[in-house]
Amino acid sequence: MNRQTLIEQIRKKKSFLCVGLDSDISKIPTHLFATEDPVFEFNKAIIDATKDHTVAYKINTAFYEAQGLKGWISMGKTLDYIPKDIFTIADAKRGDIGNTAEQYAKTFFDTYPYDSVTVAPYMGKDSVAPFLQFPNKWAIVLGLTSNEGSKDFQLQPSGDGLLYEKVMQTVAGWGTVDNTMFVVGATRKEQLERVRELIPDHFLLIPGVGTQGGDLATVAKAAMNKDVSILVNVSRAIIFAGSGMDYADLAAKAASEYREQMEQFL
Amino acid sequence: MNRQTLIEQIRKKKSFLCVGLDSDISKIPTHLFATEDPVFEFNKAIIDATKDHTVAYKINTAFYEAQGLKGWISMGKTLDYIPKDIFTIADAKRGDIGNTAEQYAKTFFDTYPYDSVTVAPYMGKDSVAPFLQFPNKWAIVLGLTSNEGSKDFQLQPSGDGLLYEKVMQTVAGWGTVDNTMFVVGATRKEQLERVRELIPDHFLLIPGVGTQGGDLATVAKAAMNKDVSILVNVSRAIIFAGSGMDYADLAAKAASEYREQMEQFL
């Protein structure tokens, strides 16, 4: 999906919500275990329940990989089930060089035809560039994350600034606003404003709202630009809003509430 | 596999060779395509041909992931075929936090029972710690890599030193020499010596010898310690030593030559 289409979808749906399919098999409702593929059945119902409220789905590949072949089957079916006008993200955080990076790009752009994949920057340009060669596909590069460990390296001094600042400025120069986004897990106003000083135009994928405690109003005000250019990811607070037979209804309700809040900022 | 056993295997085989199974399906001999699982048949013959010369196999997961389900099946069969006294590495370079990192640890320590997995450090302690909770399993954390892009961030100033120095010193404090190794792709004498100043005791996984051009004598002299504590990975120069019917014989010959060189330093 290209940038223009994504922005149009955001305007049309009045939503910049991304629903995170972190579909932990140990947390899905027990009645689904009577079906052949419980994780896919869960995702299918969640997608049906949330697709009118969201412009993107982010599949956290770890939860599928941990299940081995069954997990990859569930993931493939889930990806296939997502409506084609909704942006898809393989949250796989791959990062390797040259011909290996090319294989990862093939995995998530071709074998599994996602619109985008999250990528780790530590190994530098030749670990990101192979993801930038595919028309209408995106690398979403880790910039600043919201976890405790972000202080270990990302928030350490590097040259005149901090490492994450150097990473985002440098990576932004390798691609364009049409093929590069950044993961910015920050939910603090000053950090989001700093990110927008550094990269005013790029799309940001922002987790950390919902269960992780970030405030949507702060995020919207500090990080939106004239093209909106943010996707706010919510995972558990939507997909695990309920744990019984009515889990999909409760997911729909939660997603709808997030969307309604978002509409106020659009 | 624990540290003591790995060191014993190195002493016994007089080898610190790791054979990298970067088994690119587009590069394996064409006659294998008459078999049901060409990649596994290739790996099986390579393992038979090289197992007496090597103490570790490194499976570059990207080449398997790109093939989808078939690839994961080939990978599982390959892992299962590796003799139990040989150390196994999932070269997967995963990096995510908390419950997601736990899922990756489950993937590569349990669902696929590798001895170790390569891990990216950018997200900090909570992205590495989940891999350090498994007895006799290892996180092999990216330290300094040998690619062009290593200059983008790893070799940039961070505090009083360079980023890779800070990363290695910091990460070393999170685990022990019994559960943490580092990827050090450096093949330059000064860099290896500097790494050994920073972390004298940890095992290093050193790619970059062979096709990528590093010199084995330099590596051995600068990076070995009293327990040897290095694994030198060679991929293409061994597994693609030949491309015809005799590919396994040529792989055996190449692996044997590397081992003989290594014996001189032990």
Side-chain angles (χ1 to χ4, degrees):
Chain A
M1 184 183 291
N2 66 29
R3 180 180 167 85
Q4 196 52 45
T5 305
L6 178 56
I7 295 168
E8 284 165 11
Q9 287 295 315
I10 291 170
R11 299 282 187 205
K12 183 176 145 196
K13 286 185 165 172
K14 298 183 174 56
S15 171
F16 45 85
L17 178 63
C18 173
V19 173
L21 298 170
D22 297 18
S23 304
D24 186 340
I25 197 165
S26 72
K27 288 188 185 147
I28 68 175
T30 51
H31 71 275
L32 293 169
F33 288 90
T35 64
E36 191 191 323
D37 186 340
V39 170
F40 174 60
E41 291 301 325
F42 176 80
N43 287 344
K44 190 165 169 283
I46 294 286
I47 292 166
D48 287 341
T50 59
K51 66 185 176 186
D52 293 337
H53 310 300
T54 191
V55 294
Y57 286 104
K58 178 169 81 64
I59 293 183
N60 183 331
T61 63
F63 289 94
Y64 302 82
E65 295 182 44
Q67 299 302 312
L69 294 180
K70 279 184 306 186
W72 285 91
I73 291 170
S74 304
M75 191 184 81
K77 285 157 70 179
T78 300
L79 181 63
D80 196 45
Y81 191 75
I82 295 172
K84 296 303 162 242
D85 58 359
I86 300 185
F87 190 75
T88 53
I89 302 167
D91 191 5
K93 298 194 175 70
R94 298 301 196 260
D96 210 315
I97 57 169
N99 63 343
T100 301
E102 284 167 18
Q103 296 290 320
Y104 283 130
K106 177 172 155 59
T107 304
F108 295 109
F109 291 159
D110 183 10
T111 306
Y112 296 94
Y114 284 93
D115 290 311
S116 65
V117 60
T118 54
V119 175
Y122 188 69
M123 296 181 82
K125 184 173 182 178
D126 39 3
S127 69
V128 175
F131 294 94
L132 305 177
Q133 312 302 319
F134 293 75
N136 302 328
K137 302 280 186 180
W138 301 73
I140 307 182
V141 182
L142 290 175
L144 177 58
T145 59
S146 60
N147 60 311
E148 177 71 17
S150 62
K151 72 177 186 336
D152 293 324
F153 307 120
Q154 297 169 29
L155 293 171
Q156 292 293 317
S158 174
D160 296 335
L162 302 177
L163 178 61
Y164 85 89
E165 298 176 326
K166 182 173 185 63
V167 165
M168 294 181 81
Q169 279 191 303
T170 306
V171 174
W174 298 339
T176 70
V177 295
D178 294 308
N179 61 19
T180 310
M181 299 188 186
F182 290 92
V183 177
V184 177
T187 49
R188 280 168 48 196
K189 183 167 170 284
E190 312 76 52
Q191 287 179 335
L192 288 165
E193 287 171 350
R194 178 66 184 134
V195 166
R196 276 305 182 205
E197 284 174 22
L198 295 166
I199 48 159
D201 299 323
H202 284 77
F203 254 93
L204 307 180
L205 172 62
I206 305 177
V209 170
T211 306
Q212 292 171 56
D215 174 55
L216 188 60
T218 304
V219 168
K221 284 174 192 160
M224 273 174 52
N225 66 18
K226 66 176 170 32
D227 292 321
V228 189
S229 304
I230 59 172
L231 295 171
V232 168
N233 183 75
V234 182
S235 297
R236 286 168 279 180
I238 290 177
I239 69 170
F240 298 131
S243 60
M245 297 291 288
D246 60 347
Y247 73 97
D249 292 338
L250 292 170
K253 185 166 175 288
S256 169
E257 287 169 3
Y258 276 107
R259 195 210 60 73
E260 280 168 27
Q261 286 182 60
M262 290 175 179
E263 184 172 357
Q264 299 170 37
F265 306 110
L266 288 172
Chain B
M1 183 181 293
N2 67 29
R3 181 181 166 85
Q4 196 51 45
T5 306
L6 179 55
I7 295 168
E8 284 165 12
Q9 287 295 315
I10 291 169
R11 299 282 186 205
K12 182 177 147 195
K13 285 185 165 173
K14 299 182 173 59
S15 171
F16 45 86
L17 178 63
C18 174
V19 173
L21 298 171
D22 298 19
S23 304
D24 187 339
I25 197 167
S26 71
K27 288 188 185 149
I28 68 176
T30 50
H31 71 274
L32 293 170
F33 287 90
T35 65
E36 192 192 324
D37 186 341
V39 170
F40 174 61
E41 291 301 326
F42 176 79
N43 286 345
K44 191 165 168 286
I46 293 286
I47 292 167
D48 288 339
T50 60
K51 66 185 176 187
D52 293 337
H53 311 299
T54 189
V55 293
Y57 286 104
K58 179 170 80 64
I59 293 183
N60 183 334
T61 63
F63 288 95
Y64 301 82
E65 295 182 45
Q67 299 302 311
L69 294 180
K70 277 185 304 185
W72 285 91
I73 291 169
S74 304
M75 192 184 80
K77 285 156 71 179
T78 300
L79 180 62
D80 195 46
Y81 191 75
I82 295 172
K84 297 303 164 242
D85 59 357
I86 301 185
F87 189 76
T88 53
I89 302 167
D91 192 4
K93 299 195 175 67
R94 297 302 195 259
D96 209 314
I97 57 168
N99 64 342
T100 302
E102 285 167 18
Q103 296 289 321
Y104 283 130
K106 178 172 154 55
T107 304
F108 294 109
F109 291 159
D110 184 9
T111 306
Y112 295 94
Y114 284 92
D115 291 310
S116 64
V117 59
T118 54
V119 175
Y122 187 69
M123 296 181 82
K125 185 174 181 179
D126 40 2
S127 69
V128 175
F131 294 94
L132 305 177
Q133 313 302 318
F134 294 73
N136 302 327
K137 303 279 186 180
W138 301 73
I140 308 182
V141 182
L142 290 175
L144 177 57
T145 58
S146 58
N147 60 311
E148 176 73 16
S150 62
K151 72 177 185 335
D152 292 323
F153 307 122
Q154 298 168 30
L155 293 171
Q156 292 293 316
S158 173
D160 296 335
L162 302 178
L163 177 60
Y164 86 89
E165 298 176 326
K166 182 173 186 62
V167 166
M168 295 182 79
Q169 280 191 302
T170 306
V171 174
W174 298 339
T176 70
V177 295
D178 294 308
N179 63 18
T180 311
M181 300 187 186
F182 290 91
V183 176
V184 177
T187 47
R188 280 167 49 194
K189 183 167 170 284
E190 312 77 50
Q191 289 180 333
L192 288 164
E193 288 172 349
R194 177 69 185 133
V195 166
R196 276 306 183 203
E197 284 174 22
L198 295 166
I199 48 160
D201 298 323
H202 284 77
F203 254 94
L204 307 180
L205 172 62
I206 305 176
V209 170
T211 307
Q212 292 171 57
D215 174 53
L216 188 60
T218 304
V219 167
K221 284 175 192 160
M224 272 173 53
N225 65 18
K226 67 177 168 35
D227 292 321
V228 189
S229 303
I230 60 171
L231 295 171
V232 168
N233 182 76
V234 182
S235 298
R236 285 167 280 181
I238 290 177
I239 70 170
F240 298 130
S243 59
M245 297 292 286
D246 59 348
Y247 74 96
D249 293 337
L250 292 170
K253 183 164 177 290
S256 169
E257 287 169 3
Y258 276 107
R259 196 210 61 74
E260 281 168 28
Q261 286 182 60
M262 289 175 181
E263 184 173 356
Q264 300 172 35
F265 306 110
L266 289 172

